[in-house]
Amino acid sequence: MSTESPRRAGRPRKAILSRDRITEHALSLVSQDGYDALTMQQLARSLGVSPSALYNHVDSKQDLLQWIQELVMAQVDTSAFGKLEIHEALIQWATSYRNVFALHIPLIPVIAVLPVSDSPRTIAMYEHVAETLRGRGLADAAVIPTIVALESFIFGSAMDTGAPHDIFDTSNHREATPHFTQAVAAQRATGVNTSDDSFERGLRALVTGLLASRDLT
Amino acid sequence: MSTESPRRAGRPRKAILSRDRITEHALSLVSQDGYDALTMQQLARSLGVSPSALYNHVDSKQDLLQWIQELVMAQVDTSAFGKLEIHEALIQWATSYRNVFALHIPLIPVIAVLPVSDSPRTIAMYEHVAETLRGRGLADAAVIPTIVALESFIFGSAMDTGAPHDIFDTSNHREATPHFTQAVAAQRATGVNTSDDSFERGLRALVTGLLASRDLT
DNA sequence: ACCTGAACACCGTTCAAGT
DNA sequence: ACCTGAACACCGTTCAAGT
C-alpha cells in the first residue's frame, strides 16, 4: 500500500531549488529588467516558490550577488594571454572585462570589496595576468599594483558606460565655461561614443606606461 | 492684544529646515557612522523633525545625495592648475579628487550618472582641466575623453580604497596559482599600501600617456 | 509655508509549523 | 531536508490634517 507511494518518510522529495537554478533565474531577471528587479520576492516568484524558501539555499542577498559575480566573471575573455603579444593581450582582456561589467554595473561595488579567495574564477584570471606580467620581466612587487591599477580603470570605465549621453550638456552655463563648452562640442562633432573613446585612450596610455616602468628586471 | 503675539496669521513662523541645515546634518551623520546611517528617518531625528517634514525641502533622497555631492566636490583641490607644470598639476588634482571620494564611496555611482549641468562645482572643475589641456595644445576633440579617462581611473581607485587589506589572501589555493601567490607575497613584503601604490603607478602612466598622445597640435 | 502623524508599498530576513 | 505563511524591523515616500 504505502510502498507504492513515491513520497513517504525516509524518502524525501527532491528539492525544487538549488544554487544553479537560483543563480540562473536571478541572471535571467537581471538581463530582462535590470538589477532593480532583482529582489528576493521577485526571484522567488520567478521560481514559483515563497521568498523564505530561498534562505534554505542562500545565506543572504549579498551571497547571491557573489554567485552571480562568479558567473559574470567567467564571461571575461582571457584567451589572449600566451597567444598575443603582452600589450595586445592586456588590451584585449581589459576590453572584454570592461564590456562584460558594463552590463553588470551594480555588481562592481560588490566585487570591489570581495576577497578574491571567495571567487575561484577571479583567482584564475589573476593568475593568467600575473604570469604574463612576470614573464615580461616585471618585478614581483610591481605585479599586484599593476593589476589593481588596470582593474580600477576597468571598473571606473564600466561605470561610465551607464552615464546618460547628454551628461556634458552645459547649455545653461556656456559663457562661464568657454574651454569646456568648446571641448564638448568638438568631441560631439567626431560622432564617436565618449565612453568608448575615453576607455581606448586611457587603456593604451595605461598599458604602455605600466609596462614601461623601471620595475622591469 | 493679538498684535503682541509673535505668531499669528500672516506672520508665518520661521522654517526650521533649509537646504543648508539638512545637508550639513546629513554630512555629519555620514562622517560619524557612514552612508548606511544616512536614512531619511535618522536624518529627521538628527534634525529633531518628523521624516515627512524633509519632503517640504527635498524632492527625494537622490536629490539629497546630489546636494551632498556638491559639497564634497568643493573639497577637491584645483589650486595646482596654472601654478604647477601640467603633469604635476594633473597629478595633484587627481590625487586630491581620489582622496576626497575615498571617504564618500557610495556617492560615486550617483555622480557617474549625474548630468554635470546639475553640479556647478563640477563644471567649474572641468573648466579648469579643459583650459589646462587646451593650453598644452591637446586637440579639442581629445579633451573630454582625456578627462573622462582620468575620472574613470580616479573613481575606480577611490572604490578600491574600500577593499579589505587581506583581499588577496589565497592561502587556500596556493598551489594552483604560483605566480599570483608570489606576486602577492612580494608586494606585501614592501610594506606599502596596495591601493596607494596602484593609484600612483597608474596615475603616472595615465597622465604621461594621455599627454604624449598624437593629438597634440 | 511648513510641520505632524498615520499610512502605503515595498525591502531583506526570521521562524514556527507543516511534510 | 525543504517548503509555507505569518511576522518583524526596517526602507523611502505620500497625504490629510493642523498652525
Side-chain angles (χ1 to χ4, degrees):
Chain A
M1 321 278 144
S2 62
T3 51
E4 66 212 14
S5 164
R7 188 183 317 134
R8 38 175 308 197
R11 185 122 152 27
R13 176 165 76 258
K14 200 63 165 300
I16 296 173
L17 298 176
S18 66
R19 167 167 170 164
D20 282 357
R21 234 171 77 79
I22 291 174
T23 314
E24 185 185 311
H25 273 72
L27 260 177
S28 157
L29 262 183
V30 163
S31 67
Q32 278 172 34
D33 301 313
Y35 276 87
D36 283 350
L38 182 58
T39 68
M40 299 304 269
Q41 355 255 332
Q42 287 231 51
L43 178 56
R45 185 145 48 86
S46 133
L47 284 156
V49 106
S50 99
S52 51
L54 294 170
Y55 289 89
N56 286 308
H57 301 266
V58 66
D59 282 345
S60 62
K61 185 177 179 180
Q62 189 68 15
D63 240 57
L64 171 62
L65 289 175
Q66 296 191 14
W67 291 358
I68 297 178
Q69 180 265 342
E70 270 286 290
L71 276 196
V72 169
M73 199 62 99
Q75 300 174 21
V76 177
D77 177 16
T78 59
S79 68
F81 294 116
K83 206 167 64 185
L84 267 48
E85 187 271 335
I86 187 170
H87 290 80
E88 287 310 312
L90 285 172
I91 284 174
Q92 189 162 312
W93 161 71
T95 302
S96 168
Y97 200 167
R98 177 256 195 182
N99 290 342
V100 165
F101 277 92
L103 300 176
H104 297 274
I105 295 179
L107 237 39
I108 295 177
V110 175
I111 303 165
V113 289
L114 186 68
V116 298
S117 56
D118 294 349
S119 186
R121 308 265 196 189
T122 309
I123 293 189
M125 190 179 77
Y126 285 160
E127 177 67 6
H128 266 120
V129 186
E131 180 176 13
T132 303
L133 292 175
R134 292 183 83 213
R136 174 79 204 289
L138 192 69
D140 284 355
V143 169
I144 297 297
T146 298
I147 294 177
V148 172
L150 284 167
E151 219 172 17
S152 294
F153 180 68
I154 288 165
F155 286 153
S157 297
M159 289 187 44
D160 182 64
T161 277
H165 59 291
D166 61 340
I167 193 171
F168 289 125
D169 181 25
T170 57
S171 348
N172 300 335
H173 321 65
R174 189 169 297 148
E175 59 296 334
T177 58
H179 295 96
F180 184 59
T181 301
Q182 171 60 23
V184 170
Q187 204 284 325
R188 192 164 293 172
T190 66
V192 333
N193 179 280
T194 306
S195 283
D196 292 347
D197 194 17
S198 307
F199 178 67
E200 285 162 21
R201 289 170 185 271
L203 184 57
R204 248 180 294 137
L206 208 45
V207 167
T208 304
L210 288 171
L211 290 183
S213 119
R214 331 149 200 105
D215 295 300
L216 297 178
T217 53
Chain B
M1 326 279 142
S2 62
T3 51
E4 65 211 14
S5 164
R7 187 185 315 132
R8 40 176 304 193
R11 185 123 152 26
R13 177 164 76 257
K14 201 61 165 303
I16 296 173
L17 298 177
S18 67
R19 168 167 171 165
D20 282 356
R21 233 170 79 79
I22 290 175
T23 314
E24 183 186 312
H25 273 72
L27 261 177
S28 157
L29 263 182
V30 163
S31 68
Q32 278 173 32
D33 302 313
Y35 275 87
D36 284 349
L38 182 59
T39 68
M40 297 306 266
Q41 355 255 332
Q42 287 231 50
L43 178 55
R45 184 145 49 85
S46 133
L47 285 157
V49 105
S50 100
S52 52
L54 295 170
Y55 289 89
N56 287 307
H57 301 265
V58 67
D59 282 345
S60 63
K61 185 176 180 180
Q62 188 68 14
D63 240 57
L64 171 62
L65 290 175
Q66 296 192 14
W67 292 358
I68 296 177
Q69 181 265 343
E70 270 286 292
L71 276 196
V72 169
M73 199 62 100
Q75 299 174 23
V76 177
D77 178 15
T78 59
S79 68
F81 294 115
K83 207 166 64 183
L84 267 49
E85 187 272 334
I86 186 169
H87 291 78
E88 287 310 311
L90 286 172
I91 285 175
Q92 189 162 310
W93 160 72
T95 302
S96 168
Y97 200 166
R98 176 255 194 183
N99 289 341
V100 164
F101 277 93
L103 301 175
H104 297 274
I105 295 178
L107 237 39
I108 295 177
V110 174
I111 303 167
V113 287
L114 186 68
V116 297
S117 56
D118 293 350
S119 186
R121 308 266 196 188
T122 308
I123 294 189
M125 190 179 76
Y126 285 160
E127 177 66 7
H128 266 122
V129 186
E131 179 177 12
T132 302
L133 291 175
R134 293 183 83 214
R136 175 79 202 292
L138 193 69
D140 284 355
V143 169
I144 296 298
T146 299
I147 294 177
V148 171
L150 284 167
E151 219 173 16
S152 294
F153 180 67
I154 288 165
F155 287 152
S157 297
M159 289 187 45
D160 182 64
T161 277
H165 59 289
D166 62 339
I167 192 170
F168 289 125
D169 182 24
T170 57
S171 348
N172 300 335
H173 321 67
R174 189 169 298 150
E175 60 295 331
T177 58
H179 295 96
F180 184 60
T181 300
Q182 171 61 23
V184 169
Q187 204 283 326
R188 193 164 291 172
T190 65
V192 333
N193 178 280
T194 306
S195 284
D196 292 346
D197 194 16
S198 307
F199 179 66
E200 285 161 22
R201 288 171 186 270
L203 183 56
R204 248 180 294 138
L206 208 45
V207 167
T208 303
L210 289 171
L211 290 183
S213 122
R214 330 148 202 107
D215 294 300
L216 297 179
T217 52

